[in-house]
Amino acid sequence: MNIFENPNEPDKDKCLGDNYVGPGMKDTQVQLVISLALGLSAFLAFCTLRPRWKSLYAARKRHSNSAIGLPALPDTFFGWMPVLYKITEQQVLASAGLDAYVFLAFFKMAMRLFAAMFFFAAVVLEPINRHYVDGRSPSINSTQSFLFHQYETYRTYEHAALLGDSEPPDREPDNSFNHDMGYLWSYLVFTYFFTGLTFYFMDKETSKVLRVRQHYLGTQSTITDRTFRLSHIPKDLRTEDAIKDLVQKLEIGKVETVTICREWKALDRLMEERQIILAKLEETWSVYLGHKPLAVTGSQPNGDTINGRAGPQDPMDEEAGETDRLLRGANAQTFVERERPQTRFWYGFLRLQSRKTDAIDYYTERLRRLDERIMAARKKTYDAADLAFVTMDSVAACQMAIQALIDPQPGRLLTKPAPAPSDIVWSNTYAPRLSRRVRSWAITVFVAVLSVIWLVPVAFLASVLSICTINNVFPAFAQWLKEHEIARTLVQTGLPTLVVSLLNVAVPYLYDFLSYHQGMLSQGDIALSVISKNFFFTFFNIFLIFTVFGAVTSIFDVLRNSLRDTTYIAYTLARKIEDLSVFYTNFIMLQGLGLFPFRLLQFGSVALYPINRMGAKTPRDFAQMVQPPMFYYGFYLPTALLVFILCLVYSALPGGFWVLGLGLAYFSLGYFTYKYQLLYAMDQPQHATGGAWPMICYRVMLGLVVFQLTMSGYLALRRAFTVALLVVPLFVATLWYGWGFRRRVEPLTKFISLRSVKRADDGEEGESVMVDGDDDGTGVERMGRDVLRRGSTVDEDREKGLRFVNPSLIVPLEQPWIYQDPPPPLVQSDAGYATTPVAGSDDGEPESDLPLLGAESPRVVSASSTPSSSVSLGDTHIWRD
């Protein structure tokens, strides 16, 4: 029941947004049983399958050299849990890198914060609520009457303002100093206390993250750490020598290499086309080798029947004895050549003519001609773009270039840190700047509009599942639901929670696709953009719209009312937060207790495995199936941030200790789930430098602002206006903290301080400073790099031999992967392409170094295939591109 409905009036059949989710203890109990049933079944299934499916649940441990330093997990049912718990932060950092460390640091910070808040909320605040709110305060009906009276007073004032009446109705007296309402001051105290706790833990964890990040990046020297990105280059400087001279004259260090991005669009398209043809050729070979040889059946005593035609009698049959004929049988079979697959190609005027031909020969010839065109394209000179990558001789020189202004004119020669070579989206490096800006703004506007549109299906599904809507359409079914409380709870509360959770899982895939086409230069920028977009969706749709606005049609009403009275949003937020407490409690419960074990189980990969197995045809497909799946932070971090905000918002409200307890369980289970996946099961982007931490902190500050607005509105609804007004300094302090964070802390999350860069003469090159468990930095533990990092960081291992060069220019061309072992890549020589020598074949005999897909070998012939009887293609016009 909506607390703002007049309890003295009869019930009305209204299907408003406030009635979608009806609060009740039975709803929470049923949701708890469902969540525990789902979670325990998934967890037990994971414990059972983990030692059996190591190719899935230990994929990273089996394929990544970075995971060598991790301990092996026992194959017992629960034995892996203590070993995983004992893995230290140093091991996480050495094996998974900074992004994994930062991601898990957020979960550890949330665990510590909500454990402390849960203690004080349960021990101090909850007894006050039980004594005053549940004891001496009016009953539920009288409380609803009081809130309804307050709401009607506000609406009367609003109506008078619309009519132009300057005299508002008399306000109720301030209850701030009412002796019977004195307990409201405890809410103000705990609002300040919980805000201070959040600042304390966040500031403490931020200092630790910065210290670890600076030491980690300062002690390594990868090509990425020594390279900066130079953009907005004027046309007269778009040569390697000109840029090198420019940087050399700055006297900040020596330039090793300069890579100017050029218009490689034609070459990149040829490489994309080659990948398509290569996949088709491999699929054609798999079809051909998968066919059984044709059989020649002899059913006549005086001759064989071959393909339905009578053939001459075998002369050996005349001399064969009766025993031989009896042993061979009347239906003797002789195996002949496999049937070669055919394909149809189109040619002629407007590609109107077609012809079927041998598919292996066709795709092999197309691949050979593409290789020739790629060879020629690689030797061409392309126009220079306004972007370059400059590699310095030291990390310090690179950092000085990044943190300095190069050109006196605004908007020219801008420097930024360079992404890893394998992280660059090369197609965007030469795209016109205007085109990338248009795409960026268009997708940003589309995401903003889409976030509003998402409310329509959410509100529709929620309204369809409400009792009042069902009563209007199916009265008998609604009556049955009213008589069966558990069924009503499943329909009215459980299903909306499940729908919102599933939408929260599916939408990130769409935003990931949109971010990839937004024109960003690196995969790291795309990942951060996905985090931002998905958080905007979860916060705007699942929280802000669902609570403050209620429905799309009321957005403009709320905005109009808030312009006339700045306290309107605080009133509305506090009122709706109370109404939707059961919904958000069930949401946190389902996300933590129910869905985290399914993420540990990797239910999506398990469910899709039979489909992928049936769709796999080539050895390359089967090899990709056993590769570790990618861990995308943008898919998981926004939901965790939303749960963090919900825990803050409900922390000081009556019954808030339940939400804090569920939040503590959520972040505890999430920490160990993601710790296992990041270390053993899933891979991550390369050379990530913890760029998500400032995003996390800013969204925590946003949660504090919402928490303070909610508490101010909650106190104002109880006419404690003075107490509500005293929350305003907290709001100002949060904004001031955010401004200081941006000025003092954020630069250290983007750059490396010059004092942190370790040089050879510092005496610390062989050591690194890692912090595990120390809070003030006094207990710093120093480990030898050969112990902690195995001689190098995970980034240094990944970037050995990499250069800032478009892969289309230098990558060896792949041969068709036909058999179980992958073929060697083609290497370029003066005479063309030839394969590298192979040590030996499957039968132990060395294979000859024969040219493959070169000018003298127009098609691939396997050892088990027979010469094709198809017509020779030669140099006919049908393969000319």
Side-chain angles (χ1 to χ4, degrees):
M1 180 178 178
N2 184 6
I3 61 173
F4 282 94
E5 291 180 359
N6 192 344
N8 299 322
E9 294 182 0
D11 295 337
K12 299 180 181 180
D13 293 333
K14 296 181 179 180
C15 295
L16 301 177
D18 301 340
N19 297 324
Y20 289 165
V21 182
M25 183 58 66
K26 180 62 70 173
D27 299 70
T28 303
Q29 294 175 354
V30 172
Q31 186 66 55
L32 177 62
V33 173
I34 294 175
S35 300
L36 289 177
L38 292 174
L40 287 177
S41 60
F43 179 74
L44 295 178
F46 169 77
C47 294
T48 303
L49 298 176
R50 187 188 63 84
R52 293 173 173 83
W53 291 359
K54 292 187 177 181
S55 60
L56 175 63
Y57 297 117
R60 184 174 183 271
K61 177 71 174 177
R62 293 161 61 94
H63 292 84
S64 177
N65 292 330
S66 304
I68 293 177
L70 294 175
L73 298 181
D75 291 338
T76 55
F77 203 76
F78 296 117
W80 58 276
M81 298 175 64
V83 178
L84 179 67
Y85 174 79
K86 294 178 181 178
I87 294 178
T88 63
E89 291 181 344
Q90 291 98 331
Q91 292 174 300
V92 172
L93 193 63
S95 175
L98 270 174
D99 252 10
Y101 173 83
V102 166
F103 183 75
L104 295 177
F106 167 64
F107 277 77
K108 290 192 71 173
M109 180 192 73
M111 290 165 56
R112 294 167 178 168
L113 173 63
F114 292 139
M117 294 174 68
F118 172 77
F119 173 80
F120 288 104
V123 174
V124 181
L125 190 58
E126 184 59 22
I128 296 176
N129 291 328
R130 289 181 179 274
H131 180 73
Y132 289 98
V133 178
D134 298 336
R136 287 197 261 172
S137 64
S139 63
I140 269 298
N141 290 331
S142 59
T143 302
Q144 291 174 356
S145 299
F146 154 68
L147 292 177
F148 177 78
H149 175 69
Q150 176 67 20
Y151 182 68
E152 285 299 314
T153 302
Y154 181 83
R155 297 294 295 176
T156 303
Y157 169 71
E158 179 186 90
H159 183 68
L162 288 175
L163 295 178
D165 188 1
S166 59
E167 294 295 332
D170 294 336
R171 294 276 187 171
E172 296 292 334
D174 190 355
N175 288 331
S176 300
F177 303 99
N178 186 341
H179 183 270
D180 294 335
M181 306 288 287
Y183 68 93
L184 294 177
W185 286 87
S186 64
Y187 296 137
L188 176 66
V189 172
F190 274 93
T191 302
Y192 272 82
F193 180 62
F194 286 163
T195 301
L197 272 182
T198 305
F199 280 142
Y200 171 76
F201 280 100
M202 184 171 63
D203 194 66
K204 186 178 179 181
E205 198 67 31
T206 298
S207 300
K208 182 178 177 181
V209 168
L210 292 179
R211 186 167 60 249
V212 171
R213 181 183 185 275
Q214 293 293 319
H215 283 296
Y216 182 87
L217 296 179
T219 54
Q220 69 179 14
S221 182
T222 67
I223 187 174
T224 303
D225 297 316
R226 294 184 289 110
T227 305
F228 65 90
R229 184 177 71 194
L230 188 64
S231 60
H232 298 76
I233 304 174
K235 292 185 178 180
D236 58 333
L237 294 177
R238 294 182 184 179
T239 62
E240 285 79 359
D241 293 335
I243 295 176
K244 184 175 182 180
D245 293 339
L246 172 68
V247 179
Q248 291 277 159
K249 290 179 181 179
L250 298 177
E251 298 182 355
I252 58 176
K254 182 181 178 181
V255 177
E256 288 190 351
T257 60
V258 176
T259 301
I260 292 184
C261 300
R262 299 181 179 274
E263 302 289 340
W264 293 309
K265 186 175 183 179
L267 178 59
D268 289 341
R269 285 187 174 180
L270 287 176
M271 294 297 294
E272 293 174 1
E273 184 179 356
R274 189 185 192 277
Q275 289 299 114
I276 296 174
I277 299 302
L278 182 66
K280 290 182 178 179
L281 178 58
E282 291 175 347
E283 184 176 347
T284 304
W285 269 107
S286 66
V287 172
Y288 172 67
L289 297 177
H291 286 172
K292 294 182 179 180
L294 298 178
V296 179
T297 304
S299 58
Q300 301 295 335
N302 57 351
D304 293 334
T305 301
I306 303 176
N307 294 333
R309 295 174 297 179
Q313 186 177 5
D314 190 351
M316 294 297 296
D317 290 343
E318 297 179 356
E319 301 178 5
E322 182 179 358
T323 304
D324 293 338
R325 288 193 294 270
L326 290 175
L327 291 175
R328 188 168 56 186
N331 295 323
Q333 294 181 347
T334 302
F335 293 98
V336 297
E337 176 189 0
R338 294 181 175 93
E339 180 182 358
R340 293 177 68 89
Q342 302 290 307
T343 188
R344 182 178 296 276
F345 63 91
W346 299 82
Y347 63 97
F349 178 72
L350 297 179
R351 302 283 182 177
L352 297 178
Q353 300 180 17
S354 64
R355 180 184 173 185
K356 292 187 67 175
T357 187
D358 184 276
I360 295 178
D361 289 338
Y362 175 74
Y363 291 122
T364 301
E365 179 66 13
R366 287 199 61 182
L367 191 64
R368 184 186 69 82
R369 297 196 175 216
L370 274 175
D371 289 345
E372 293 178 352
R373 294 179 60 187
I374 291 173
M375 281 290 299
R378 286 179 172 181
K379 297 178 181 179
K380 293 182 179 180
T381 302
Y382 299 91
D383 295 334
D386 66 340
L387 182 68
F389 296 100
V390 182
T391 302
M392 308 297 292
D393 62 337
S394 66
V395 178
C398 177
Q399 288 299 316
M400 284 189 284
I402 293 173
Q403 302 178 38
L405 296 176
I406 303 297
D407 197 85
Q409 298 185 24
R412 290 209 331 171
L413 298 177
L414 304 180
T415 57
K416 289 184 178 181
S422 57
D423 200 36
I424 299 174
V425 182
W426 289 97
S427 60
N428 291 331
T429 59
Y430 52 78
R433 191 183 307 118
L434 179 61
S435 172
R436 292 194 290 115
R437 285 183 178 178
V438 169
R439 280 189 290 166
S440 178
W441 280 105
I443 291 179
T444 301
V445 173
F446 178 73
V447 169
V449 174
L450 192 62
S451 297
V452 178
I453 297 176
W454 281 127
L455 181 64
V456 177
V458 175
F460 173 76
L461 290 173
S463 62
V464 167
L465 298 174
S466 65
I467 295 298
C468 60
T469 304
I470 296 175
N471 187 51
N472 294 336
V473 181
F474 303 106
F477 182 59
Q479 184 62 32
W480 182 83
L481 290 177
K482 293 178 181 179
E483 296 174 356
H484 298 79
E485 189 174 3
I486 295 180
R488 179 199 60 79
T489 300
L490 292 175
V491 172
Q492 191 176 7
T493 306
L495 289 181
T497 306
L498 180 62
V499 168
V500 172
S501 299
L502 293 178
L503 190 63
N504 200 37
V505 172
V507 168
Y509 290 95
L510 173 62
Y511 286 163
D512 180 68
F513 172 80
L514 293 176
S515 298
Y516 184 80
H517 291 82
Q518 203 166 357
M520 299 180 184
L521 297 181
S522 69
Q523 298 288 348
D525 293 338
I526 294 174
L528 295 179
S529 177
V530 173
I531 294 175
S532 179
K533 289 181 176 64
N534 287 332
F535 176 79
F536 180 77
F537 164 77
T538 56
F539 180 77
F540 187 78
N541 288 86
I542 300 179
F543 180 76
L544 193 61
I545 289 289
F546 206 71
T547 54
V548 177
F549 301 112
V552 178
T553 56
S554 62
I555 292 178
F556 298 104
D557 295 336
V558 173
L559 293 177
R560 184 178 63 253
N561 295 332
S562 62
L563 291 176
R564 289 196 300 270
D565 189 345
T566 55
T567 63
Y568 182 80
I569 289 183
Y571 277 104
T572 307
L573 184 62
R575 177 170 61 90
K576 296 291 185 67
I577 283 293
E578 287 187 280
D579 295 345
L580 296 173
S581 60
V582 174
F583 172 78
Y584 287 128
T585 301
N586 293 346
F587 176 77
I588 299 174
M589 192 183 304
L590 180 63
Q591 289 287 325
L593 303 180
L595 296 186
F596 265 136
F598 276 92
R599 289 177 179 170
L600 189 64
L601 182 63
Q602 298 186 46
F603 181 77
S605 299
V606 175
L608 293 177
Y609 180 81
I611 300 176
N612 296 333
R613 179 63 178 82
M614 291 185 295
K617 298 179 181 179
T618 66
R620 194 182 304 274
D621 295 337
F622 288 103
Q624 292 176 352
M625 288 180 59
V626 297
Q627 292 298 318
M630 293 297 296
F631 187 95
Y632 296 105
Y633 296 96
F635 287 18
Y636 310 114
L637 184 57
T639 303
L641 288 170
L642 176 64
V643 174
F644 191 99
I645 292 175
L646 290 175
C647 292
L648 283 179
V649 168
Y650 283 99
S651 59
L653 292 175
F657 74 100
W658 290 111
V659 180
L660 289 172
L662 290 174
L664 178 60
Y666 173 89
F667 285 101
S668 300
L669 293 174
Y671 175 78
F672 290 104
T673 298
Y674 293 137
K675 186 177 183 180
Y676 179 89
Q677 290 183 332
L678 287 168
L679 297 181
Y680 289 93
M682 306 179 77
D683 209 348
Q684 312 147 59
Q686 298 180 1
H687 199 96
T689 59
W693 186 254
M695 302 181 68
I696 292 173
C697 293
Y698 284 130
R699 280 145 185 82
V700 170
M701 297 176 208
L702 176 63
L704 286 175
V705 171
V706 176
F707 166 58
Q708 293 154 10
L709 286 175
T710 302
M711 294 308 300
S712 179
Y714 180 84
L715 294 170
L717 280 174
R718 282 145 184 81
R719 300 198 297 270
F721 301 113
T722 301
V723 183
L725 190 63
L726 290 177
V727 180
V728 175
L730 269 183
F731 178 77
V732 177
T734 303
L735 296 181
W736 176 82
Y737 182 89
W739 179 80
F741 185 92
R742 186 179 187 87
R743 182 175 54 89
R744 297 180 298 102
V745 178
E746 188 174 352
L748 291 174
T749 64
K750 296 181 178 179
F751 311 120
I752 306 174
S753 65
L754 297 181
R755 289 190 60 188
S756 298
V757 178
K758 300 299 185 296
R759 300 172 179 84
D761 54 354
D762 290 342
E764 296 183 1
E765 185 184 24
E767 296 182 353
S768 62
V769 181
M770 300 299 154
V771 182
D772 187 11
D774 67 289
D775 296 325
D776 54 0
T778 57
V780 176
E781 179 182 1
R782 295 180 177 269
M783 289 187 172
R785 178 177 288 191
D786 56 345
V787 177
L788 178 62
R789 294 184 171 181
R790 301 170 290 103
S792 61
T793 65
V794 60
D795 298 323
E796 289 173 329
D797 287 342
R798 288 170 170 173
E799 296 182 19
K800 286 181 179 178
L802 294 183
R803 293 183 297 164
F804 281 90
V805 180
N806 188 348
S808 299
L809 293 169
I810 60 173
V811 64
L813 302 180
E814 295 179 307
Q815 300 182 63
W817 191 346
I818 300 174
Y819 299 106
Q820 181 178 1
D821 295 330
L826 295 175
V827 294
Q828 184 178 358
S829 63
D830 296 338
Y833 273 106
T835 59
T836 55
V838 182
S841 59
D842 295 337
D843 56 4
E845 297 181 0
E847 297 180 357
S848 60
D849 185 18
L850 296 177
L852 191 60
L853 291 182
E856 301 298 329
S857 56
R859 70 182 176 94
V860 181
V861 180
S862 67
S864 61
S865 65
T866 58
S868 173
S869 60
S870 60
V871 179
S872 177
L873 301 175
D875 293 329
T876 54
H877 68 280
I878 55 177
W879 284 284
R880 292 176 184 169
D881 298 292

